[in-house]
Amino acid sequence: MGAEALRTLLGRVRYEVLPARATEEKVLAHVPRDVVVTVTASPVKGLEPTLGLTERLTAHGYRVVPHVPARLLRDDTHLKDVVERLLAAGVDDVFVPAGDAERPAGVYDGALPVLRRLSELGSPFGRLGITGYPQSHPLIHDDITIQAMWDKRAHATYIVSNLCFDPRVLGDWIARIRRRDVTLPVHVGVAGPVQRAKLLSMATKIGVGESTRFLTRHASWFLRFATPGGYVPERFLERGADALTAPSAGVAGLHVFTFNQVAETERWRRALLDRLG
């Protein structure tokens, strides 16, 4: 990948954080205001921590994208309340996954009904993101996830891909969704320079039940991070050059999973930008 192309991608990053106790302090200390911050939502703790952190970070001048999982919404009234609260905070970009809750909190069991309802409410947000799965979802067949993106394309404005550690798989997936005429821009999900010990610590802090589910579902991640030389973010970017920079790929930027290792992630990005001149 040419230095200019890589610098462009590193200049269009989004940092995903979890709404933990120290997250606000970490973001304020280490994240520039021109970096978009996305805030996840916990199936254990509900939407309130996400909404609260979103409000505080937007008040500090950040552009914040809250996750609003469909399965955490109780009903239409709850959805309208969330919309009004986010609009009052100045939010214009929302990410709507189905969510990992085992049972829906109410009437919405997937993202598409929520997206349709938001359209019926006048499309209150200028930008609306949906999920893509370059590597197979643990519970949903690949054909179904791609069909879901097709179904959602009329309501969404972009796709965020889940983590992928194989550049070839990523490239094949992007080509596949483009052949399916899913033309939404993609923010490619990339893990930052994660340390395994800190990842384990983060997982245990997000709640016993949730962390168990997290560790079980993402066991392969830990192997990638723990193996010497197993995962290096810049090497992934270099090997995925063709998939990330081809005009037909429609890659809008990088969605960096920080796992709340915010300082380490920003130091890595800055160091790589400096190295690229």
Side-chain angles (χ1 to χ4, degrees):
M1 179 186 295
E4 183 177 354
L6 184 51
R7 282 185 60 86
T8 298
L9 285 175
L10 290 167
R12 298 200 303 256
V13 297
R14 298 153 56 104
Y15 284 172
E16 180 177 296
V17 300
L18 293 91
R21 182 176 300 175
T23 304
E24 180 180 359
E25 179 182 346
K26 289 181 179 181
V27 171
L28 291 175
H30 302 290
V31 180
R33 296 300 194 280
D34 61 347
V35 171
V36 175
V37 179
T38 78
V39 183
T40 67
S42 162
V44 174
K45 299 178 181 177
L47 275 174
E48 183 55 38
T50 300
L51 300 176
L53 180 58
T54 295
E55 289 168 334
R56 295 193 301 275
L57 290 177
T58 55
H60 287 299
Y62 288 96
R63 182 181 160 204
V64 185
V65 182
H67 292 212
V68 181
R71 295 169 73 87
L72 293 185
L73 294 166
R74 295 185 298 275
D75 51 29
D76 189 55
T77 299
H78 188 198
L79 174 59
K80 290 179 180 178
D81 289 343
V82 169
V83 168
E84 291 175 4
R85 187 169 170 181
L86 292 176
L87 291 176
V91 171
D92 191 44
D93 190 346
V94 172
F95 178 62
V96 182
D100 291 331
E102 293 182 1
R103 292 188 178 87
V107 298
Y108 300 113
D109 63 353
L112 183 57
V114 174
L115 296 172
R116 286 172 173 158
R117 186 65 184 124
L118 288 171
S119 293
E120 292 168 358
L121 292 173
S123 301
F125 303 106
R127 289 172 54 79
L128 201 58
I130 58 174
T131 308
Y133 296 96
Q135 293 182 303
S136 297
H137 188 283
L139 302 175
I140 308 173
H141 192 278
D142 290 348
D143 289 341
I144 295 176
T145 64
I146 291 178
Q147 179 64 44
M149 284 185 285
W150 168 262
D151 294 338
K152 297 170 186 173
R153 75 197 188 286
H155 307 281
T157 61
Y158 64 91
I159 297 166
V160 176
S161 74
N162 207 345
L163 271 181
C164 179
F165 294 101
D166 187 331
R168 180 187 57 80
V169 170
L170 176 64
D172 289 347
W173 174 76
I174 291 175
R176 187 179 179 190
I177 66 172
R178 296 316 184 204
R179 286 196 302 270
R180 188 66 173 82
D181 288 332
V182 177
T183 59
L184 297 175
V186 173
H187 294 264
V188 172
V190 178
V194 182
Q195 297 179 21
R196 182 173 180 270
K198 290 188 177 181
L199 183 59
L200 285 166
S201 174
M202 179 279 301
T204 59
K205 288 178 180 177
I206 61 178
V208 175
E210 187 176 357
S211 62
T212 301
R213 182 163 51 250
F214 179 91
L215 294 171
T216 300
R217 189 168 293 176
H218 304 298
S220 63
W221 293 4
F222 292 91
L223 293 175
R224 294 277 187 173
F225 296 137
T227 304
Y231 176 74
V232 179
E234 53 266 40
R235 186 169 64 218
F236 173 84
L237 295 176
E238 290 165 0
R239 291 177 176 175
D242 292 340
L244 292 169
T245 61
S248 60
V251 173
L254 303 178
H255 182 98
V256 183
F257 293 81
T258 71
F259 300 102
N260 280 15
Q261 297 181 40
V262 177
E264 296 87 343
T265 300
E266 179 60 10
R267 278 199 300 269
W268 162 77
R269 185 178 78 99
R270 286 293 172 188
L272 187 52
L273 283 170
D274 289 345
R275 195 157 73 243
L276 293 168

